[in-house]
Amino acid sequence: MDFSGNVRPADMERISTAESAQVFIDEAIKAVRKQVGDGKVLLALSGGVDSSVVAALLIKAIGKNLVCVHVNHGLLRKGEPEQVVRVFRDEMDANLVYVDAVDRFLDKLAGVDDPETKRKIIGAEFIRVFEEEARKLEGISFLAQGTIYPDIIESDGVKAHHNVGGLPEDLKFELVEPVKFLFKDEVRVVGKALGLPDNMVYRQPFPGPGLGVRCLGAITRDRLECVRESDAILREEFAKNGLEGKVWQYFTTVPDFRSTGIKDGKRTFEYPVIIRAVNTKDAMTATVENIPFDLLSHITDRILKEVKGVNRVCYDMSPKPCATIEWE
Ligand code: XMP
């Protein structure tokens, strides 16, 4: 298989079965070995589908010559950084550098309430942390990226949310992009064939700036925990009730204001949690999922009982347009 150029080879078969995935995996391993030889390859491993599939593929192809860097910026969902370490370091025996950059990101974001400025800070800080880690490592000449075919078709091959396009000139590596001719559904089939867990392979879309765009306004640690904990409850209940994989995207958002409530006969002044669940084909327009009322009530009860600092739960009924999917 030839990964040069930016056009999917006309004779490349669609990958839809375990057998076709295995044919691709064997070919991709050969191509990667031919490209990098004994060289070392660096990969920013977010735990998202694309970078996880690239990691699993490269571990098979070059083992410890792949160095995965997982940056925990504090804006990941509950359990995600732990899962990356468990799956890749413990189970696949990967060469994984785990960077705890939580304080660093949250300090940089303190007091910043403009959504686009928040995004820029998260992206720029990610590049800085990744660059620092890359400089600590020696003898690396390749950079692997989870570029997929829609990235090439839609945005000149730049994987925007991987944020590695902005590395300084003296850190320019040769790119290794083994899934760059695959569509998302094909990447998932390959991931499954590589033995990645279902909740990694079939996960719903998650924005690059993570929970940062769901902790509205200036991010505070207490509200970030409200977002993370309520999102975990929502995901758990959707999974238990057969909605995982059926609803395109679902999450919670916590605004930067409080409202009055009452608990144990005393007034409270706490945050609301807003639930959003939408369906779409291409994220350009979206409709609201009709969630059974009983399930919404149950999720509301759990959030009010289990998430500290929350006294109200709302369901966002707005389609896109007029609303966007995310609140920021
Ligand atoms: P909106 O809110 O624009 O979202 O209707 C459409 C889709 O894009 C995701 N999204 C992002 N993804 N970086 C990303 O990688 C971002 O900054 C970002 N903002 C929104 C959103 O989750 C939805 O799937």
Side-chain angles (χ1 to χ4, degrees):
M1 186 174 299
D2 182 6
F3 289 121
S4 58
N6 270 346
V7 181
R8 178 170 165 133
D11 58 352
M12 195 172 147
E13 257 185 64
R14 258 200 78 69
I15 302 168
S16 57
T17 59
E19 292 73 36
S20 51
Q22 198 52 53
V23 172
F24 170 82
I25 291 167
D26 294 341
E27 293 254 341
I29 288 174
K30 265 192 242 153
V32 167
R33 286 183 181 152
K34 186 165 166 224
Q35 183 187 0
V36 309
D38 291 333
K40 284 195 174 169
V41 181
L42 186 62
L43 169 72
L45 174 58
S46 66
V49 185
D50 306 332
S51 66
S52 296
V53 170
V54 168
L57 197 55
L58 294 193
I59 290 165
K60 275 215 163 27
I62 58 169
K64 296 268 171 153
N65 274 350
L66 172 72
V67 184
C68 303
V69 176
H70 177 65
V71 178
N72 180 1
H73 51 29
L75 305 168
L76 297 169
R77 287 171 290 198
K78 188 172 177 173
E80 281 185 335
E82 294 82 359
Q83 187 183 32
V84 167
V85 173
R86 195 173 60 246
V87 169
F88 291 99
R89 185 186 282 163
D90 302 346
E91 291 169 19
M92 296 194 178
D93 197 25
N95 198 349
L96 174 75
V97 180
Y98 170 81
V99 187
D100 178 350
V102 176
D103 288 342
R104 191 171 159 167
F105 275 81
L106 296 187
D107 289 351
K108 272 259 152 55
L109 287 162
V112 180
D113 62 1
D114 175 63
E116 288 316 309
T117 311
K118 285 166 68 178
R119 275 193 171 77
K120 281 198 187 108
I121 290 174
I122 296 165
E125 199 56 20
F126 185 89
I127 293 171
R128 230 165 279 143
V129 174
F130 190 69
E131 179 194 339
E132 284 173 21
E133 292 306 317
R135 287 193 192 285
K136 286 184 205 162
L137 300 162
E138 275 174 18
I140 301 219
S141 34
F142 298 91
L143 180 71
Q145 278 193 187
T147 311
I148 64 171
Y149 207 42
D151 299 323
I152 293 179
I153 299 168
E154 289 157 23
S155 59
D156 300 329
V158 178
K159 183 103 192 177
H161 72 260
H162 274 207
N163 292 319
V164 287
L167 284 174
E169 203 51 42
D170 66 315
L171 267 185
K172 282 285 178 253
F173 303 104
E174 183 179 327
L175 290 181
V176 179
E177 298 176 299
V179 297
K180 77 175 187 181
F181 293 135
L182 304 194
F183 289 97
K184 196 81 179 188
D185 58 315
E186 297 180 300
V187 177
R188 294 190 207 277
V189 178
V190 170
K192 184 92 182 121
L194 285 164
L196 290 174
D198 279 4
N199 69 347
M200 218 168 219
V201 170
Y202 299 111
R203 70 174 47 180
Q204 51 170 319
F206 186 58
L211 301 182
V213 298
R214 298 174 183 171
C215 186
L216 305 185
I219 297 170
T220 56
R221 288 173 195 250
D222 61 340
R223 280 189 305 112
L224 190 55
E225 275 321 290
C226 294
V227 181
R228 203 182 329 264
E229 291 300 323
S230 55
D231 171 77
I233 292 171
L234 183 73
R235 285 190 289 135
E236 190 187 317
E237 290 298 332
F238 267 42
K240 257 195 221 159
N241 289 279
L243 293 176
E244 192 182 47
K246 284 206 183 122
V247 181
W248 195 80
Q249 197 172 19
Y250 45 96
F251 54 86
T252 61
T253 290
V254 174
D256 53 349
F257 59 80
R258 290 179 289 174
S259 76
T260 308
I262 187 141
K263 198 180 206 173
D264 302 328
K266 285 198 192 100
R267 270 183 189 280
T268 59
F269 193 50
E270 295 177 312
Y271 297 112
V273 162
I274 300 155
I275 297 174
R276 185 130 176 84
V278 295
N279 282 310
T280 177
K281 279 210 162 63
D282 54 9
M284 302 301 285
T285 62
T287 55
V288 176
E289 172 70 15
N290 184 355
I291 301 183
F293 193 81
D294 287 352
L295 178 58
L296 265 184
S297 296
H298 176 62
I299 294 170
T300 299
D301 284 347
R302 278 198 62 191
I303 291 174
L304 291 176
K305 254 191 219 120
E306 296 171 38
V307 185
K308 208 170 142 249
V310 172
N311 65 358
R312 201 177 283 274
V313 176
C314 307
Y315 188 54
D316 184 349
M317 290 295 294
S318 328
K320 175 181 183 175
C322 289
T324 48
I325 294 176
E326 304 286 348
W327 274 57
E328 276 192 348

